[in-house]
Amino acid sequence: TQTSAPVTLNDLVGKPGPDFSLTSYNDKSFTLSQLKGRKVVLFFNEGIICYPACWNQIAALGTDSRFNNEKVISLSIVPDGAEDWQEATKKMPELRKGVILLDQTKEVSAKYGMLSLESSMHKGQKPGHTYVVIDAKGIVRKTLDDPTMGIKNEELIKELNKI
């Protein structure tokens, strides 16, 4: 169930990231609480309909080893089904290098307050383009809502280096 009063991005900072369990388009399960000990970058986005911007952002995170190693993991969270992303990875193979998690009910997006931010072009229905940086203890350290839909890897690395 979706929360009736979504949190704001500022409300998330300094608190534990709301736990979730989601499955990737290639059927691997991820639970935030099981990732403790690693820094986590969550990238909430509009998903399959957001071509090429979101696809490029997902690929940029997934192909950058600074976001995918024993100390850091990046997870792209999309409101789509597995079939859509299986097709997308055929068209753009570099998408396969990242973790794309399916939030079809949008329950996780709602828990994190992602459905009505400035970057959302489908307010109340889909997340926009928002990053959440979580430290190795599971505490949210930084949020970045990005209406410009740019690749923010360098800015995110600076934030990860602070924690």
Side-chain angles (χ1 to χ4, degrees):
T1 46
Q2 295 187 356
T3 55
S4 55
V7 295
T8 68
L9 285 182
N10 289 337
D11 289 340
L12 289 172
V13 176
K15 297 185 179 113
D19 201 15
F20 63 81
S21 290
L22 290 173
T23 303
S24 67
Y25 77 92
N26 54 354
D27 207 32
K28 293 181 182 158
S29 294
F30 289 82
T31 300
L32 184 63
S33 57
Q34 292 175 337
L35 296 173
K36 281 194 178 154
R38 288 171 92 179
K39 298 174 188 178
V40 179
V41 175
L42 304 177
F43 173 46
F44 290 87
N45 65 84
E46 295 169 303
I48 206 79
I49 65 165
C50 181
Y51 176 86
C54 291
W55 292 30
N56 290 339
Q57 290 169 298
I58 291 167
L61 277 176
T63 58
D64 190 330
S65 62
R66 299 175 299 173
F67 294 100
N68 304 285
N69 56 62
E70 65 283 344
K71 294 182 178 176
V72 181
I73 187 169
S74 63
L75 307 170
S76 294
I77 299 176
V78 300
D80 309 304
E83 316 75 42
D84 292 328
W85 284 101
Q86 288 159 357
E87 286 302 309
T89 60
K90 290 175 189 167
K91 293 176 188 159
M92 191 175 179
E94 56 270 35
L95 288 169
R96 291 187 198 129
K97 294 194 177 190
V99 178
I100 300 172
L101 299 179
L102 309 173
D103 184 22
Q104 289 183 277
T105 65
K106 297 179 226 131
E107 186 176 332
V108 176
S109 296
K111 239 195 247 189
Y112 275 78
M114 297 290 142
L115 298 176
S116 297
L117 297 173
E118 185 183 344
S119 69
S120 179
M121 290 186 256
H122 308 272
K123 288 205 184 343
Q125 297 171 24
K126 292 183 188 248
H129 310 88
T130 310
Y131 299 90
V132 178
V133 177
I134 301 172
D135 71 15
K137 293 178 180 168
I139 306 298
V140 175
R141 294 295 171 201
K142 177 75 176 172
T143 57
L144 172 64
D145 189 43
D146 181 28
T148 67
M149 297 184 275
I151 292 174
K152 298 295 183 184
N153 288 19
E154 296 312 314
E155 190 172 336
L156 293 166
I157 285 298
K158 286 178 186 166
E159 292 303 323
L160 286 169
N161 288 337
K162 291 178 187 176
I163 59 176

